[in-house]
Amino acid sequence: MTTVISVTNQKGGVGKTTSAVNLAYYLAKSGKKTLLIDFDPQGNASSGLGINKQQLETGTMSDVLLETKVLQEVILETKHKNLFIAPATPHLANTEVELAKASRRFTRLKNAIANTAGYDIVIIDNPPSLSLLTVNGLIACRYVLLPVQAEFYALEGLGQLLETMKLVRKNMNPTLDLVGVLPTMVDGRTTLSGQVHEEIKKHFPGKVFKTVIPRNIRLAEAPSHGVPIGVYDRFSKGARAYKTVAKELLERIAE
Ligand code: ATP
Ligand code: MG
């Protein structure tokens, strides 16, 4: 069986892509055949894994949504064992507009994944919006993983996401569940960061991962080398944190 996890937060720059790429890497490393779906027109997950977006003859997630290709056709192997990626380019933004009035527009990603066998885990890196793409992501998944940046406005806007999740659960995807809230860019030296962490825990009792992701420059550097943190600097604080969170994530989805 395939477990599908959407990394979602409509706020920009909170660590969605960094979490999607690095968790996918560690899940793959632990032996799970893992597919990372880049579902953001920014294509950051693709470039973060060293995919050259100029040379994508095999196709992208745009082709999958428009149903000119099936998902399996656009999936690329990465340099890392067990880790595969379905890439995206800026064209995905146009695709979203094209889909606006199409039939079955909300369930295209769900159907694409359902027709693709062989993966233990699928991670979807969603864009920073509550758009048609994100709704496709929410309908296609069993779990939402919610990265929250440990800053003053962290919780603002999350009510809207939880509301959208409720609607999706009610209408399309009754088993949709929050697998965990992941505090990111936590700066242990500031009291604000600690306070926000406490706030997040109060807001999501029992849902916050035990391990948090520290602010760590190595995590920000790795994508420019086109590799996950586990390859770029596996002894960095950021690498150790994502490795531990991947383990905790596996425990949570096994429950
Ligand atoms: P978007 O909403 O635009 O898709 P995002 O939520 O996917 O953004 P990222 O791209 O993962 O966020 O991170 C935003 C920026 O912060 C990037 O430059 C990334 O390298 C950096 N970053 C992410 N996590 C950390 C961290 N723990 N420590 C330091 N820098 C980080
Ligand atoms: Mg992103």
Side-chain angles (χ1 to χ4, degrees):
M1 223 195 61
T2 309
T3 305
V4 184
I5 303 168
S6 258
V7 180
T8 310
N9 186 335
Q10 83 270 33
K11 198 185 277 273
V14 298
K16 289 182 291 296
T17 302
T18 306
S19 300
V21 168
N22 293 305
L23 290 174
Y25 170 79
Y26 280 116
L27 293 168
K29 201 163 183 323
S30 77
K32 301 288 179 193
K33 192 171 171 191
T34 304
L35 170 63
L36 175 61
I37 295 183
D38 190 347
F39 214 45
D40 182 348
Q42 297 180 96
N44 293 336
S46 305
S47 36
L49 280 183
I51 304 296
N52 181 348
K53 283 181 249 170
Q54 260 70 54
Q55 299 173 338
L56 284 174
E57 306 86 13
T58 42
T60 68
M61 284 311 294
S62 291
D63 303 293
V64 175
L65 285 180
L66 294 173
E67 297 179 339
T68 52
K69 292 212 162 134
V70 297
L71 179 55
Q72 191 56 52
E73 286 176 280
V74 310
I75 293 174
L76 302 170
E77 256 181 66
T78 70
K79 285 172 252 161
H80 319 290
K81 193 168 174 224
N82 288 331
L83 181 58
F84 298 79
I85 181 160
T89 61
H91 186 67
L92 188 58
N94 302 347
T95 307
E96 188 175 18
V97 177
E98 276 180 70
L99 270 188
K101 287 189 176 162
S103 62
R104 299 174 290 100
R105 60 186 174 279
F106 292 113
T107 49
R108 294 207 174 195
L109 181 62
K110 179 191 165 84
N111 292 340
I113 294 172
N115 291 323
T116 309
Y119 295 93
D120 298 309
I121 298 180
V122 174
I123 305 270
I124 305 167
D125 182 28
N126 279 300
S129 62
L130 284 174
S131 59
L132 182 57
L133 291 175
T134 300
V135 173
N136 261 272
L138 291 175
I139 290 171
C141 71
R142 168 77 172 85
Y143 294 113
V144 166
L145 188 151
L146 174 61
V148 173
Q149 188 180 345
E151 45 121 40
F152 182 60
Y153 294 112
L155 296 172
E156 220 165 76
L158 285 187
Q160 211 188 336
L161 171 63
L162 296 178
E163 203 51 45
T164 305
M165 279 178 67
K166 225 191 213 165
L167 278 174
V168 168
R169 204 177 287 127
K170 192 168 153 213
N171 294 297
M172 322 278 263
N173 185 3
T175 60
L176 178 67
D177 195 11
L178 181 64
V179 73
V181 179
L182 181 61
T184 61
M185 301 184 223
V186 175
D187 188 343
R189 291 165 309 181
T190 68
T191 42
L192 176 64
S193 212
Q195 282 166 359
V196 174
H197 188 198
E198 286 309 312
E199 271 302 298
I200 298 172
K201 281 198 278 197
K202 238 193 274 166
H203 207 82
F204 295 99
K207 286 292 186 190
V208 182
F209 283 97
K210 286 193 233 85
T211 304
V212 301
I213 306 300
R215 187 171 279 287
N216 178 215
I217 186 71
R218 305 301 269 171
L219 285 170
E221 290 168 356
S224 64
H225 299 267
V227 289
I229 191 66
V231 172
Y232 181 61
D233 185 353
R234 68 195 169 104
F235 297 117
S236 60
K237 275 192 308 178
R240 288 198 304 249
Y242 273 115
K243 190 176 176 185
T244 313
V245 172
K247 228 167 117 189
E248 199 180 337
L249 178 59
L250 279 177
E251 287 163 14
R252 287 186 178 210
I253 63 180
E255 275 168 15

